[in-house]
Amino acid sequence: MSEARPFVDYYAILRVHPECDHRTLEIAYRNLAKIYHPDHPETADIDMFNAVIEAYRALKDHGKRLAYDALYSSNTGFAFSADDDILAEERTALSDADVHAEVLLYLYKRRRERAQEPGVGQYELQRMLGCTTEAFDFHAW
């Protein structure tokens, strides 16, 4: 990421918590890349597809991620925990909380848009989240 470019929030693009683990990062990347891929006419978005790829490339390498995290902290004020202070399970829980908040926001918007018929099917929610059936089953409980 060059100094001339404005700050880009790669964590927001990938819809993950800044302290998520590598596995969560990879799952988010794969799901979003599938959604925005040009081969999917219903959800294709080449700009988002390229942004997802750029974000993942910047965050998948540990050294690049550390450099980006410093930039992220200076631009957002987010304070990263020391590696020993937060366990992998806690990172996953933080990411899960973000997904739950996203589902609730989607359901709220749907209720506002269609007060008489606010229902949302499992397929629609799963597509919106861009997650596997197994991951969706966990979040739908």
Side-chain angles (χ1 to χ4, degrees):
M1 194 159 133
S2 72
E3 294 295 331
R5 287 185 51 198
F7 173 72
V8 178
D9 187 343
Y10 291 144
Y11 292 113
I13 290 170
L14 293 174
R15 302 179 190 169
V16 295
H17 189 274
E19 293 184 314
C20 72
D21 61 8
H22 181 72
R23 179 162 162 62
T24 302
L25 192 69
E26 185 174 348
I27 290 169
Y29 161 71
R30 290 181 184 277
N31 288 329
L32 291 170
K34 285 179 197 174
I35 290 171
Y36 297 123
H37 194 278
D39 289 346
H40 294 99
E42 300 90 28
T43 59
D45 183 336
I46 194 69
D47 293 333
M48 276 303 295
F49 180 70
N50 289 332
V52 166
I53 291 171
E54 179 183 345
Y56 183 65
R57 284 181 179 161
L59 299 175
K60 73 177 181 175
D61 177 79
H62 184 68
K64 289 180 182 178
R65 186 170 179 178
L66 287 175
Y68 177 77
D69 286 351
L71 182 64
Y72 182 84
S73 288
S74 67
N75 280 279
T76 64
F78 183 84
F80 286 89
S81 301
D83 286 343
D84 295 336
D85 291 344
I86 188 164
L87 300 172
E89 294 85 12
E90 292 171 332
R91 289 186 192 129
T92 301
L94 292 171
S95 295
D96 288 343
D98 289 342
V99 172
H100 292 158
E102 192 172 340
V103 168
L104 289 174
L105 179 61
Y106 184 77
L107 293 173
Y108 176 79
K109 285 180 180 178
R110 181 66 178 242
R111 174 78 173 154
R112 282 293 206 193
E113 292 168 357
R114 299 179 182 181
Q116 299 302 317
E117 295 179 28
V120 177
Q122 175 180 344
Y123 174 76
E124 186 176 351
L125 268 178
Q126 185 176 346
R127 187 175 56 88
M128 182 270 308
L129 290 172
C131 64
T132 64
T133 301
E134 294 80 22
F136 179 77
D137 288 344
F138 172 78
H139 295 295
W141 65 272

